[in-house]
Amino acid sequence: MVYEATVSAPVNIACIKYWGKRDTKLIIPTNSSLSITLSQDHLRSTTTCRADPRFERGDRLWLNGKEEVIKENGRTWVCIEELRRWRRAMEEKDKKLPELSEMPLRIASYNNFPTAAGLASSASGLAALVSSLSTLFSLPQTPSQLSLIARQGSGSACRSLFGGFVAWREGLASDGSDSMAQQVAPETHWPEMQALICVVSDQKKATSSTAGMQATVETSALFRQRLQVVPSRMDAIESAIKQKDFESFAKITMADSNTFHACCLDTTPPIFYMNDVSRSIIQLIEQLNKANGKPLAAYTFDAGPNAVIYTLDKYMPVVIKAVQRFFPPAQDLEDRLNVMPAVEKAGFPMMFDESKVVKWEKGAVKGLIHTTVGDGPRVMARE
Ligand code: DP6
């Protein structure tokens, strides 16, 4: 008898960033964070777990078709063993259950976007792993309880167990038992909210988040100041989301992205995740917001140069046109210089100062992904 489950899980992009651990083994963060789950129609990881007593002993894992070693006591190993422990407890209570906890596992996971390009592939990947294994094991645990396990695979993964707007509460316990994700609002709460991902680079980043954040914890004084402001930012952004107050949401999101990257710069040696194109995107959004009199869009950058721009559906055409105008994706630079009339037609007389947006180059933005707020993990198949 073969037991198998396939689950897909979404990407999430933080508005209040997780950066720093107070326990690197258990992955307990130095601050709470908040993210938006993006639609799986565009970005997702899909994982199949199979248990079969006839498999050779030992678990095996493939990521995008390439086998990865599951290191004993490594992050993936910890996630698998914790879930096995929960399954074993069920089997001990109910002797009629098949002994899945004793069977070797074969796990295959695919991303439909480049790994390690600053697009949170570890978040959706580990969330898909934990969700598919818990589905295979028929575990009764809630998404928040499962987030305790996903967190130990990759911190940001714990937020991908929910759709919509998600907080990861840092918690107080030294064993991490209260450091878990919680949904602040479901994906249906604010349907006008959308995201535009500007792919600036699909290359692997030079400094991983894991290494970068601990270097910041150890060397940055600014980082300690950031920890003082995060709690009030968390409160403010949660109430902005609940009230659908885009202006406040945008201001806090941009401020926190900037504080996070300032902490990276304040690290010894400094870490540069953004590049000239990223900085130009910041200037473009700042100019659009200024011309509009209040924020119509918010940029945020993770540990890489790609921008994620949050905006409302009514502003999205303007944002897309503005990005295409300044960062034409193809050779048709000349054609795109005539975009402003279209922007005006969309109802926004954007009299912004174009000279303030510097350093744009042809083809600087490699691709745009226009997406929406999405749901949590989806069970695709189970037998
Ligand atoms: C900048 O979750 O990748 O994207 O816990 O070491 O696996 P580990 O780090 P990871 O860090 C993500 C950092 C971030 C901010 C965020 O997603 O909150």
Side-chain angles (χ1 to χ4, degrees):
M1 179 80 183
V2 180
Y3 301 89
E4 192 179 282
T6 300
V7 177
S8 69
V11 160
N12 72 76
I13 300 292
C15 303
I16 304 293
K17 305 295 185 191
Y18 147 54
W19 197 249
K21 299 177 181 69
R22 63 181 160 84
D23 186 316
T24 51
K25 187 77 201 117
L26 291 170
I27 309 199
I28 307 176
T30 49
N31 61 274
S32 296
S33 55
L34 184 139
S35 60
I36 300 184
T37 296
L38 301 184
S39 169
Q40 293 179 60
D41 298 343
H42 299 105
L43 302 167
R44 66 182 169 274
S45 297
T46 307
T47 300
T48 301
C49 288
R50 182 182 284 185
D52 188 331
R54 294 164 302 181
F55 284 147
E56 255 178 62
R57 281 176 63 85
D59 302 329
R60 294 176 71 183
L61 166 73
W62 289 262
L63 291 184
N64 296 316
K66 195 172 158 276
E67 183 158 14
E68 302 267 319
V69 181
I70 305 175
K71 273 199 233 115
E72 195 167 330
N73 293 315
R75 292 172 167 206
T76 309
W77 185 91
V78 167
C79 291
I80 297 172
E81 287 313 311
E82 287 287 308
L83 296 170
R84 253 202 189 109
R85 209 161 52 82
W86 282 349
R87 171 70 192 186
R88 201 165 288 131
M90 278 171 68
E91 291 167 4
E92 274 161 16
K93 270 203 206 121
D94 181 352
K95 299 286 180 207
K96 288 194 295 293
L97 287 175
E99 290 194 322
L100 295 182
S101 66
E102 300 303 317
M103 297 180 196
L105 295 167
R106 299 293 178 263
I107 304 164
S109 188
Y110 288 91
N111 297 329
N112 65 346
F113 56 92
T115 307
L119 277 181
S121 62
S122 68
S124 54
L126 266 301
L129 172 82
V130 168
S131 307
S132 59
L133 204 46
S134 79
T135 304
L136 177 76
F137 287 167
S138 306
L139 297 178
Q141 272 76 10
T142 62
S144 275
Q145 288 168 322
L146 290 176
S147 79
L148 294 168
I149 308 294
R151 187 199 79 217
Q152 297 176 63
S154 181
S156 53
C158 74
R159 298 184 310 238
S160 277
L161 289 175
F162 289 97
F165 302 80
V166 188
W168 172 13
R169 313 279 177 209
E170 60 176 302
L172 297 168
S174 56
D175 64 355
S177 53
D178 57 355
S179 184
M180 57 171 101
Q182 222 177 35
Q183 192 177 57
V184 169
E187 57 277 16
T188 48
H189 166 69
W190 199 353
E192 296 82 8
M193 178 70 85
Q194 299 193 342
L196 184 71
I197 303 171
C198 306
V199 181
V200 171
S201 163
D202 55 6
Q203 300 299 303
K204 206 173 149 71
K205 54 201 172 207
T207 310
S208 72
S209 313
T210 309
M213 67 174 77
Q214 279 330 96
T216 303
V217 171
E218 283 154 25
T219 63
S220 167
L222 187 58
F223 163 77
R224 284 187 283 280
Q225 283 189 28
R226 173 171 188 260
L227 295 185
Q228 308 297 312
V229 302
V230 168
S232 58
R233 277 188 186 159
M234 282 294 289
D235 290 346
I237 203 163
E238 280 180 54
S239 68
I241 289 167
K242 286 190 179 128
Q243 292 161 25
K244 302 191 210 171
D245 169 0
F246 185 78
E247 209 180 312
S248 306
F249 167 86
K251 283 182 185 159
I252 302 163
T253 297
M254 292 186 285
D256 198 67
S257 175
N258 292 333
T259 316
F260 155 51
H261 288 278
C263 290
C264 292
L265 271 182
D266 191 47
T267 300
T268 311
I271 310 168
F272 308 100
Y273 284 126
M274 293 194 290
N275 63 18
D276 283 350
V277 178
S278 319
R279 284 185 281 273
S280 299
I281 293 172
I282 292 182
Q283 288 171 315
L284 175 61
I285 300 301
E286 292 286 355
Q287 289 303 317
L288 285 175
N289 286 346
K290 194 169 157 205
N292 191 47
K294 60 180 189 178
L296 61 76
Y299 52 81
T300 186
F301 296 81
D302 278 348
N306 298 331
V308 176
I309 301 172
Y310 286 120
T311 186
L312 299 176
D313 54 355
K314 62 179 173 185
Y315 299 132
M316 188 53 97
V318 172
V319 173
I320 291 179
K321 288 197 170 90
V323 171
Q324 284 177 335
R325 173 173 162 82
F326 282 94
F327 310 99
Q331 287 81 354
D332 54 352
L333 180 62
E334 298 305 317
D335 301 350
R336 294 190 189 265
L337 288 175
N338 276 325
V339 157
M340 274 348 243
V343 172
E344 280 157 27
K345 220 162 83 205
F348 299 94
M350 293 305 205
M351 306 306 287
F352 71 91
D353 186 351
E354 297 185 14
S355 66
K356 295 255 166 66
V357 185
V358 294
K359 261 249 169 234
W360 50 281
E361 356 160 343
K362 196 152 78 173
V365 170
K366 295 185 193 327
L368 295 177
I369 304 167
H370 174 189
T371 190
T372 52
V373 183
D375 57 355
R378 296 179 190 166
V379 177
M380 313 296 285
R382 188 181 182 169
E383 55 187 79

CSV table of all heavy atoms in Angstrom, one decimal, residues 12-14 16-19 21 27 33-35 75 120 122-123 151 153-157 159 168 205 209-211 213 260 301-303, ligand 1:
chain,number,residue,atom,x,y,z
A,12,ASN,N,4.9,34.4,0.6
A,12,ASN,CA,4.5,35.5,1.3
A,12,ASN,C,5.5,36.6,1.3
A,12,ASN,O,6.7,36.3,1.2
A,12,ASN,CB,4.1,35.2,2.8
A,12,ASN,CG,5.3,34.9,3.6
A,12,ASN,OD1,6.0,35.8,4.1
A,12,ASN,ND2,5.5,33.6,3.9
A,13,ILE,N,5.1,37.9,1.2
A,13,ILE,CA,6.1,39.0,1.2
A,13,ILE,C,5.8,39.9,2.4
A,13,ILE,O,4.7,40.4,2.6
A,13,ILE,CB,6.0,39.8,-0.1
A,13,ILE,CG1,6.3,38.9,-1.3
A,13,ILE,CG2,7.0,41.0,0.0
A,13,ILE,CD1,7.8,38.4,-1.4
A,14,ALA,N,6.8,40.0,3.3
A,14,ALA,CA,6.6,40.7,4.5
A,14,ALA,C,6.5,42.3,4.3
A,14,ALA,O,7.3,42.8,3.5
A,14,ALA,CB,7.7,40.4,5.5
A,16,ILE,N,6.3,44.0,7.5
A,16,ILE,CA,7.2,44.2,8.6
A,16,ILE,C,8.1,43.0,8.6
A,16,ILE,O,7.7,41.9,8.7
A,16,ILE,CB,6.4,44.2,10.0
A,16,ILE,CG1,5.3,45.3,10.0
A,16,ILE,CG2,7.4,44.4,11.2
A,16,ILE,CD1,5.8,46.7,10.0
A,17,LYS,N,9.4,43.3,8.4
A,17,LYS,CA,10.4,42.2,8.1
A,17,LYS,C,10.8,41.4,9.4
A,17,LYS,O,11.0,42.0,10.4
A,17,LYS,CB,11.6,42.8,7.5
A,17,LYS,CG,11.4,43.6,6.2
A,17,LYS,CD,10.8,42.8,5.1
A,17,LYS,CE,10.7,43.6,3.8
A,17,LYS,NZ,9.9,42.9,2.8
A,18,TYR,N,11.0,40.2,9.2
A,18,TYR,CA,11.7,39.3,10.1
A,18,TYR,C,13.1,39.4,9.8
A,18,TYR,O,13.5,39.1,8.6
A,18,TYR,CB,11.1,37.9,9.9
A,18,TYR,CG,12.1,36.7,10.2
A,18,TYR,CD1,12.8,36.6,11.4
A,18,TYR,CD2,12.2,35.7,9.2
A,18,TYR,CE1,13.7,35.5,11.6
A,18,TYR,CE2,13.1,34.6,9.4
A,18,TYR,CZ,13.8,34.5,10.6
A,18,TYR,OH,14.6,33.5,10.8
A,19,TRP,N,14.0,39.8,10.7
A,19,TRP,CA,15.4,39.9,10.5
A,19,TRP,C,16.1,39.7,11.8
A,19,TRP,O,16.2,40.6,12.6
A,19,TRP,CB,15.8,41.2,9.8
A,19,TRP,CG,17.1,41.2,9.2
A,19,TRP,CD1,18.2,41.9,9.6
A,19,TRP,CD2,17.5,40.5,8.0
A,19,TRP,NE1,19.3,41.6,8.7
A,19,TRP,CE2,18.9,40.7,7.7
A,19,TRP,CE3,16.9,39.6,7.1
A,19,TRP,CZ2,19.6,40.2,6.7
A,19,TRP,CZ3,17.6,39.0,6.1
A,19,TRP,CH2,18.9,39.3,5.8
A,21,LYS,N,17.5,36.3,14.7
A,21,LYS,CA,17.0,35.3,15.6
A,21,LYS,C,17.6,35.4,17.0
A,21,LYS,O,18.8,35.8,17.1
A,21,LYS,CB,17.5,33.9,15.0
A,21,LYS,CG,17.0,33.6,13.6
A,21,LYS,CD,17.6,32.2,13.2
A,21,LYS,CE,17.2,31.8,11.8
A,21,LYS,NZ,17.8,32.7,10.7
A,27,ILE,N,15.0,28.6,15.7
A,27,ILE,CA,14.5,29.7,14.8
A,27,ILE,C,13.4,30.5,15.6
A,27,ILE,O,12.2,30.5,15.2
A,27,ILE,CB,14.1,29.3,13.4
A,27,ILE,CG1,15.2,28.4,12.8
A,27,ILE,CG2,13.7,30.4,12.5
A,27,ILE,CD1,15.2,28.3,11.3
A,33,SER,N,6.7,39.8,13.0
A,33,SER,CA,6.7,40.3,11.6
A,33,SER,C,5.3,40.1,11.0
A,33,SER,O,4.4,39.4,11.6
A,33,SER,CB,7.7,39.5,10.7
A,33,SER,OG,7.5,38.1,10.8
A,34,LEU,N,5.0,40.7,9.9
A,34,LEU,CA,3.7,40.6,9.2
A,34,LEU,C,3.9,40.6,7.7
A,34,LEU,O,4.6,41.4,7.2
A,34,LEU,CB,2.9,41.8,9.7
A,34,LEU,CG,1.4,41.8,9.1
A,34,LEU,CD1,0.4,42.3,10.2
A,34,LEU,CD2,1.3,42.6,7.9
A,35,SER,N,3.1,39.7,7.1
A,35,SER,CA,3.2,39.5,5.7
A,35,SER,C,1.9,39.4,5.0
A,35,SER,O,0.9,39.2,5.6
A,35,SER,CB,4.1,38.3,5.3
A,35,SER,OG,3.4,37.2,5.9
A,75,ARG,N,17.6,21.4,9.1
A,75,ARG,CA,16.2,22.0,9.3
A,75,ARG,C,15.2,21.1,8.7
A,75,ARG,O,14.1,20.9,9.3
A,75,ARG,CB,16.2,23.3,8.5
A,75,ARG,CG,17.1,24.4,9.2
A,75,ARG,CD,17.1,25.6,8.3
A,75,ARG,NE,17.6,26.8,8.9
A,75,ARG,CZ,17.3,28.0,8.5
A,75,ARG,NH1,16.5,28.2,7.5
A,75,ARG,NH2,17.8,29.0,9.1
A,120,ALA,N,11.4,34.5,-1.9
A,120,ALA,CA,10.8,33.7,-0.8
A,120,ALA,C,10.5,32.2,-1.1
A,120,ALA,O,9.5,31.7,-0.8
A,120,ALA,CB,9.6,34.3,-0.2
A,122,SER,N,12.1,29.6,-0.1
A,122,SER,CA,12.2,28.8,1.1
A,122,SER,C,10.9,28.8,1.9
A,122,SER,O,10.5,27.8,2.5
A,122,SER,CB,13.4,29.1,2.0
A,122,SER,OG,13.2,30.4,2.6
A,123,ALA,N,10.3,30.0,1.9
A,123,ALA,CA,9.0,30.1,2.7
A,123,ALA,C,7.9,29.2,2.1
A,123,ALA,O,7.3,28.3,2.8
A,123,ALA,CB,8.5,31.5,2.7
A,151,ARG,N,8.3,26.9,11.0
A,151,ARG,CA,9.2,28.0,11.4
A,151,ARG,C,10.6,27.4,11.6
A,151,ARG,O,11.6,28.1,11.3
A,151,ARG,CB,8.7,28.5,12.8
A,151,ARG,CG,9.5,29.6,13.4
A,151,ARG,CD,9.2,29.8,14.9
A,151,ARG,NE,10.0,28.8,15.6
A,151,ARG,CZ,9.6,28.2,16.7
A,151,ARG,NH1,8.4,28.3,17.2
A,151,ARG,NH2,10.4,27.3,17.3
A,153,GLY,N,11.9,25.1,9.8
A,153,GLY,CA,12.5,24.8,8.5
A,153,GLY,C,13.0,26.1,7.9
A,153,GLY,O,14.2,26.1,7.4
A,154,SER,N,12.3,27.2,8.0
A,154,SER,CA,12.7,28.5,7.6
A,154,SER,C,11.7,29.5,8.2
A,154,SER,O,10.5,29.3,8.1
A,154,SER,CB,12.7,28.6,6.1
A,154,SER,OG,13.1,29.9,5.7
A,155,GLY,N,12.3,30.5,8.9
A,155,GLY,CA,11.4,31.3,9.7
A,155,GLY,C,10.2,31.8,9.0
A,155,GLY,O,9.0,31.6,9.4
A,156,SER,N,10.4,32.5,7.8
A,156,SER,CA,9.3,33.1,7.1
A,156,SER,C,8.3,32.0,6.6
A,156,SER,O,7.2,32.4,6.2
A,156,SER,CB,9.9,33.9,5.9
A,156,SER,OG,10.7,33.1,5.1
A,157,ALA,N,8.7,30.8,6.5
A,157,ALA,CA,7.8,29.7,6.1
A,157,ALA,C,6.5,29.6,6.9
A,157,ALA,O,5.4,29.2,6.5
A,157,ALA,CB,8.5,28.4,6.0
A,159,ARG,N,4.6,31.8,8.0
A,159,ARG,CA,3.6,32.7,7.6
A,159,ARG,C,2.8,32.2,6.4
A,159,ARG,O,1.7,32.6,6.1
A,159,ARG,CB,4.1,34.1,7.4
A,159,ARG,CG,4.7,34.8,8.6
A,159,ARG,CD,5.1,36.2,8.4
A,159,ARG,NE,6.0,36.3,7.2
A,159,ARG,CZ,7.2,36.7,7.1
A,159,ARG,NH1,7.8,37.2,8.2
A,159,ARG,NH2,7.9,36.7,5.9
A,168,TRP,N,3.5,36.9,12.4
A,168,TRP,CA,4.3,35.8,13.1
A,168,TRP,C,4.6,36.5,14.5
A,168,TRP,O,5.4,37.5,14.5
A,168,TRP,CB,5.5,35.5,12.3
A,168,TRP,CG,6.5,34.6,13.0
A,168,TRP,CD1,6.3,33.9,14.2
A,168,TRP,CD2,7.8,34.3,12.6
A,168,TRP,NE1,7.5,33.2,14.5
A,168,TRP,CE2,8.4,33.4,13.5
A,168,TRP,CE3,8.6,34.7,11.5
A,168,TRP,CZ2,9.7,33.0,13.4
A,168,TRP,CZ3,9.9,34.3,11.4
A,168,TRP,CH2,10.5,33.4,12.3
A,205,LYS,N,21.2,35.1,-4.5
A,205,LYS,CA,21.7,36.2,-3.8
A,205,LYS,C,23.1,35.9,-3.1
A,205,LYS,O,23.4,34.7,-2.8
A,205,LYS,CB,20.8,36.8,-2.7
A,205,LYS,CG,20.3,35.7,-1.7
A,205,LYS,CD,19.0,36.2,-1.1
A,205,LYS,CE,18.4,35.0,-0.3
A,205,LYS,NZ,17.0,35.1,-0.1
A,209,SER,N,19.8,35.0,3.6
A,209,SER,CA,19.1,35.6,4.7
A,209,SER,C,19.6,35.1,6.0
A,209,SER,O,19.8,35.9,7.0
A,209,SER,CB,17.6,35.4,4.7
A,209,SER,OG,17.1,35.5,3.4
A,210,THR,N,19.8,33.8,6.1
A,210,THR,CA,20.2,33.2,7.3
A,210,THR,C,21.5,33.7,7.8
A,210,THR,O,21.7,34.1,9.0
A,210,THR,CB,20.4,31.6,7.1
A,210,THR,OG1,19.2,31.2,6.5
A,210,THR,CG2,20.6,30.9,8.4
A,211,ALA,N,22.5,33.8,6.9
A,211,ALA,CA,23.8,34.4,7.3
A,211,ALA,C,23.7,35.9,7.6
A,211,ALA,O,24.3,36.4,8.5
A,211,ALA,CB,24.9,34.1,6.3
A,213,MET,N,21.2,37.8,8.4
A,213,MET,CA,20.5,38.4,9.6
A,213,MET,C,21.3,38.2,10.9
A,213,MET,O,21.3,39.0,11.8
A,213,MET,CB,19.1,37.8,9.8
A,213,MET,CG,18.9,36.4,10.1
A,213,MET,SD,17.2,35.9,10.3
A,213,MET,CE,16.5,35.9,8.7
A,260,PHE,N,14.9,48.1,7.5
A,260,PHE,CA,15.6,46.8,7.3
A,260,PHE,C,16.9,46.9,6.5
A,260,PHE,O,17.9,46.4,6.9
A,260,PHE,CB,14.6,45.8,6.8
A,260,PHE,CG,15.2,44.6,6.0
A,260,PHE,CD1,16.2,43.9,6.6
A,260,PHE,CD2,14.7,44.3,4.8
A,260,PHE,CE1,16.7,42.8,5.9
A,260,PHE,CE2,15.2,43.2,4.1
A,260,PHE,CZ,16.2,42.5,4.6
A,301,PHE,N,11.3,45.5,-0.2
A,301,PHE,CA,12.4,44.7,-0.7
A,301,PHE,C,12.8,43.7,0.3
A,301,PHE,O,13.1,44.0,1.5
A,301,PHE,CB,13.6,45.5,-1.1
A,301,PHE,CG,13.4,46.5,-2.2
A,301,PHE,CD1,12.7,47.7,-2.0
A,301,PHE,CD2,13.7,46.2,-3.5
A,301,PHE,CE1,12.5,48.6,-3.0
A,301,PHE,CE2,13.5,47.1,-4.6
A,301,PHE,CZ,12.9,48.3,-4.3
A,302,ASP,N,12.9,42.4,-0.1
A,302,ASP,CA,13.5,41.4,0.9
A,302,ASP,C,15.0,41.3,0.7
A,302,ASP,O,15.6,42.3,0.3
A,302,ASP,CB,12.8,40.0,0.6
A,302,ASP,CG,11.5,39.9,1.3
A,302,ASP,OD1,11.2,40.8,2.1
A,302,ASP,OD2,10.7,39.0,1.0
A,303,ALA,N,15.6,40.2,0.9
A,303,ALA,CA,17.0,40.0,0.9
A,303,ALA,C,17.5,39.8,-0.6
A,303,ALA,O,18.1,38.8,-1.0
A,303,ALA,CB,17.5,38.9,1.7
B,1,DP6,C1,14.1,39.4,4.4
B,1,DP6,O1,13.0,33.0,6.5
B,1,DP6,O2,14.7,33.1,4.7
B,1,DP6,O3,12.6,37.8,3.6
B,1,DP6,O4,14.7,31.7,9.0
B,1,DP6,O5,17.1,31.8,8.3
B,1,DP6,O6,15.4,30.6,6.8
B,1,DP6,P1,15.7,31.7,7.8
B,1,DP6,O7,15.4,33.1,7.1
B,1,DP6,P2,14.3,33.5,6.0
B,1,DP6,O8,14.4,35.1,6.1
B,1,DP6,C2,13.5,35.9,5.5
B,1,DP6,C3,13.9,37.3,5.6
B,1,DP6,C4,13.2,38.3,4.8
B,1,DP6,C5,12.1,39.0,5.7
B,1,DP6,C6,10.8,38.3,5.9
B,1,DP6,O9,10.4,37.4,5.1
B,1,DP6,O10,10.2,38.6,6.9
